[in-house]
Amino acid sequence: MSVVSELATEKPKLLSARGTAIMLGAISFVAGIGLWWLAVLAGLSALPNPPEVLRRFIELVANGQLFGDMAASLQRVLIGFALGSLAAVPVGFLMGWYRIARNLIDPWIQFFRVVPPLAIIPLAIVTLGIDEKPKIFVIFLAAFLSSVVATYQGVISVDKTYINAARVLGASDRVIFSHVVIPASTPFILVGFRIGLGAAWATVVAAELIAAQSGLGFRMQQAQLYYDLPTIFVSLISIGILGLIMDRIVVWADERLTGWQERV
């Protein structure tokens, strides 16, 4: 079979697998909503039912609150996550490639890893104020710690056979690093990005609960004071949707950048 024929055969399979995944995801979503509704109707839960949440969603969209809160939280997450990830990748490569750098930096990374970013929020507020700086800083820290460990693990997990083969062929350390280590570490880096995104969203919501005048976390805190469960649900669902979209973007980048990797 020619290469063209093989590619023509693989493409429908890929489209079919993707269509199946979308269909199963939709079925799972509808089933989850149905179970939620049945639990409320049966009196097994004090949660609001889906129509109540939908009505509150329409109200918050109509008065502009929801989009304003989503924009505020999304901006904080994007800035903190981008800064944390950009800083983590070179530090992770440095730790993985040079043993001296690993011995110098790793103790600090492990120290801050066991200190939850949420525990640093009070310190960040006291030292940086109550504006955007402390919120972005704790998001930066959460994303950085997740990504730097993943990048470091990717570098030290590169198959030594590839590196030795490149050396035998006369490749310099610079060529080995750029053509062997970086491509082989990319899947680990992107996994770190996905974990960092989750940590960033968890951190921004906690930060907004403490000191904010806008954002989805702030809106949930205000709704809690009035026992406004539909608003809390709308905020939670909005966070989940935004996080899911960002995660799918990283997955799409992973598929494009690591097309050489075998997948199940």
Side-chain angles (χ1 to χ4, degrees):
M1 183 182 293
S2 66
V3 175
V4 175
S5 299
E6 290 180 359
L7 291 176
T9 304
E10 288 296 326
K11 189 172 182 180
K13 290 181 179 179
L14 180 61
L15 293 176
S16 176
R18 185 163 298 176
T20 301
I22 293 174
M23 182 183 66
L24 291 175
I27 293 173
S28 175
F29 175 77
V30 173
I33 297 295
L35 290 175
W36 167 22
W37 203 341
L38 288 174
V40 174
L41 292 176
L44 301 177
S45 173
L47 300 177
N49 58 45
E52 290 177 334
V53 175
L54 179 60
R55 284 194 295 270
R56 184 53 51 87
F57 170 80
I58 295 173
E59 292 173 2
L60 293 175
V61 169
N63 61 28
Q65 281 187 353
L66 182 60
F67 289 146
D69 290 332
M70 291 174 66
S73 294
L74 185 60
Q75 181 181 12
R76 292 164 185 148
V77 168
L78 287 176
I79 295 175
F81 171 74
L83 293 176
S85 300
L86 289 176
V89 171
V91 173
F93 278 135
L94 191 66
M95 291 172 57
W97 194 246
Y98 297 105
R99 187 176 297 274
I100 294 177
R102 182 187 314 170
N103 294 333
L104 289 173
I105 301 173
D106 188 61
W108 291 102
I109 297 296
Q110 301 308 321
F111 172 81
F112 282 105
R113 279 187 66 205
V114 299
V115 178
L118 304 184
I120 301 179
I121 291 176
L123 177 62
I125 291 174
V126 171
T127 56
L128 299 176
I130 59 174
D131 57 2
E132 296 300 304
K133 293 179 183 177
K135 303 177 186 61
I136 292 176
F137 173 74
V138 293
I139 297 169
F140 161 85
L141 187 61
F144 173 80
L145 293 173
S146 299
S147 298
V148 74
V149 172
T151 303
Y152 160 71
Q153 191 63 40
V155 175
I156 64 174
S157 298
V158 176
D159 193 337
K160 298 300 185 293
T161 303
Y162 300 150
I163 296 177
N164 294 333
R167 291 192 191 280
V168 169
L169 294 174
S172 64
D173 284 349
R174 182 181 63 82
V175 173
I176 292 173
F177 185 78
S178 60
H179 288 76
V180 178
V181 175
I182 291 180
S185 303
T186 300
F188 290 84
I189 296 172
L190 293 172
V191 169
F193 286 176
R194 296 182 69 183
I195 298 173
L197 274 174
W201 276 108
T203 304
V204 72
V205 170
E208 290 173 348
L209 288 173
I210 295 176
Q213 297 301 318
S214 62
L216 295 170
F218 166 78
R219 192 61 54 195
M220 284 192 288
Q221 182 189 40
Q222 296 298 306
Q224 176 191 2
L225 297 176
Y226 300 100
Y227 204 69
D228 185 359
L229 291 178
T231 297
I232 295 176
F233 259 71
V234 170
S235 299
L236 287 173
I237 293 171
S238 299
I239 292 170
I241 291 174
L242 290 174
L244 179 61
I245 292 173
M246 294 177 72
D247 180 78
R248 293 301 94 184
I249 292 174
V250 176
V251 171
W252 175 85
D254 184 16
E255 293 175 351
R256 295 299 181 276
L257 296 174
T258 62
W260 48 267
Q261 189 179 30
E262 292 185 4
R263 302 178 188 276
V264 178

